[in-house]
Amino acid sequence: DTAVSQTPKYLVTQMGNDKSIKCEQNLGHDTMYWYKQDSKKFLKIMFSYNNKELIINETVPNRFSPKSPDKAHLNLHINSLELGDSAVYFCASSPQQGVGSPLHFGNGTRLTVT
Amino acid sequence: QKEVEQNSGPLSVPEGAIASLNCTYSDRGSQSFFWYRQYSGKSPELIMFIYSNGDKEDGRFTAQLNKASQYVSLLIRDSQPSDSATYLCAVGTGRRALTFGSGTRLQVQP
């Protein structure tokens, strides 16, 4: 009965490959996010979708493309993977966009690029 | 200047003591403040949130907010070894997604 679920949990791939991470939430939330957490635990926002519309793109390289088929799903596709893309990627959702709305995180996808 | 700053630690306290975790933020327009706990290899989980100046208590946890000083803190009373984790401060501003600090690692010594 997981609230925010993302797959896969681990992803090991070589430079130059293309990969996708999937995320689904069953909380009925309107807004979903992708955060990247580096080796120093710093969580940085990448994208936010509110009811299927992109509302934030925080200067992420265009090799990263989010796709939201409906408000319960937000996938992340990454082209031409680079070593620096290695990190843990967290999907999250919140009841609504904006102030005062706490985030509920998925379990994370640890991406390792070799 | 980072938007949300935390001392990376580790902060080491003996079991039963009070752990005090601090966070400062740069945007005076920030309106909501959150504390998340993250165990190693796990996802962040929400512990507390606070919107108004003053203290907010929930069990062993107390969040304190001082908007004039742009400062938010988390106190953990009667610290337990199971409280050992990284504590992330997050700040909400307008319609933006939450901005996180880099976290403070807390170690509670048995």
Side-chain angles (χ1 to χ4, degrees):
Chain A
D1 196 18
T2 307
V4 182
S5 60
Q6 51 182 114
T7 55
K9 188 170 173 62
Y10 299 98
L11 189 50
V12 181
T13 188
Q14 292 184 326
M15 285 174 54
N17 285 348
D18 303 338
K19 290 294 179 185
S20 292
I21 307 172
K22 295 186 175 182
C23 180
E24 175 181 3
Q25 55 97 2
N26 62 6
L27 296 167
H29 288 171
D30 282 344
T31 310
M32 296 183 71
Y33 310 82
W34 280 109
Y35 277 83
K36 177 181 180 181
Q37 188 171 47
D38 61 25
S39 57
K40 295 186 178 180
K41 293 289 191 180
F42 184 52
L43 264 172
K44 186 170 172 58
I45 182 67
M46 299 177 71
F47 298 104
S48 175
Y49 261 81
N50 186 56
N51 219 357
K52 296 199 294 177
E53 294 185 32
L54 178 67
I55 54 174
I56 298 174
N57 180 343
E58 295 285 332
T59 62
V60 173
N62 58 15
R63 298 183 295 104
F64 292 79
S65 53
K67 284 190 170 47
S68 182
D70 55 59
K71 79 170 191 177
H73 296 83
L74 179 62
N75 304 323
L76 183 64
H77 188 74
I78 315 169
N79 289 326
S80 303
L81 278 154
E82 300 178 356
L83 292 176
D85 297 332
S86 296
V88 181
Y89 292 84
F90 285 101
C91 176
S93 70
S94 64
Q96 58 197 25
Q97 174 192 350
V99 175
S101 202
L103 301 180
H104 300 257
F105 285 90
N107 288 331
T109 295
R110 182 174 294 277
L111 171 65
T112 304
V113 183
T114 61
Chain B
Q1 182 190 7
K2 290 182 183 176
E3 293 184 62
V4 180
E5 296 215 46
Q6 297 180 255
N7 188 321
S8 61
L11 172 66
S12 186
V13 300
E15 184 174 355
I18 296 176
S20 178
L21 303 157
N22 305 316
C23 172
T24 58
Y25 59 96
S26 61
D27 192 333
R28 285 197 169 274
S30 298
Q31 298 159 284
S32 59
F33 307 87
F34 303 83
W35 283 100
Y36 284 81
R37 177 176 62 199
Q38 187 175 25
Y39 292 112
S40 181
K42 301 295 185 182
S43 58
E45 54 178 325
L46 181 68
I47 300 175
M48 295 276 302
F49 58 89
I50 186 167
Y51 305 143
S52 304
N53 275 331
D55 295 0
K56 179 181 179 182
E57 188 174 316
D58 184 1
R60 295 187 297 114
F61 299 98
T62 298
Q64 298 176 316
L65 175 61
N66 184 326
K67 288 187 179 181
S69 301
Q70 295 175 242
Y71 177 92
V72 58
S73 64
L74 179 70
L75 301 178
I76 307 175
R77 288 182 299 282
D78 188 24
S79 295
Q80 302 296 310
S82 58
D83 294 326
S84 299
T86 296
Y87 288 80
L88 302 168
C89 172
V91 175
T93 308
R95 291 164 61 84
R96 293 168 53 189
L98 295 187
T99 301
F100 284 80
S102 55
T104 298
R105 190 157 63 96
L106 173 66
Q107 294 177 339
V108 181
Q109 307 293 339

